[in-house]
Amino acid sequence: MVPTEGKIYYLHNFFETLYSNVIDLESSNFKHINTNFENVPVEARKGTKREVNSEWPKNYYKAIRMALKEYDVVLVQLKPDHFDYFDKNNIKYSIAIL
């Protein structure tokens, strides 16, 4: 798993040259209630006022655990709280700095 902040296009393409299964788990799909934003591209949603999902960050961690079973590389949000969760749950990760 590789935490990322921006540069997703580059990283996704880089990892796809090494691995056949790569997914970017965009955190805003889990952090916010996206009602009325379903047809708005993720990048266009950024900066809009949306309600925080009461299941955050548990729903994100669940999605990460599920993705790790299916994908070679899982790109996730770069936040210290997430690293604490990964460490406590023995989830191996690498940090990509561009």
Side-chain angles (χ1 to χ4, degrees), residues 59-71:
N59 61 343
Y60 192 49
Y61 297 148
K62 180 180 178 182
I64 291 169
R65 288 191 312 273
M66 290 173 57
L68 287 169
K69 295 176 184 177
E70 187 176 343
Y71 294 90

Side-chain angles (χ1 to χ4, degrees), residues 29-75:
N29 292 330
F30 301 91
K31 185 172 184 176
H32 298 100
I33 302 296
N34 289 302
T35 305
N36 299 324
F37 286 91
E38 297 88 355
N39 297 320
V40 177
V42 172
E43 289 299 319
R45 293 179 199 172
K46 293 181 178 179
T48 61
K49 292 208 175 236
R50 292 171 286 154
E51 183 181 346
V52 174
N53 187 333
S54 63
E55 294 296 312
W56 172 261
K58 290 180 258 169
N59 61 343
Y60 192 49
Y61 297 148
K62 180 180 178 182
I64 291 169
R65 288 191 312 273
M66 290 173 57
L68 287 169
K69 295 176 184 177
E70 187 176 343
Y71 294 90
D72 297 324
V73 175
V74 179
L75 303 173

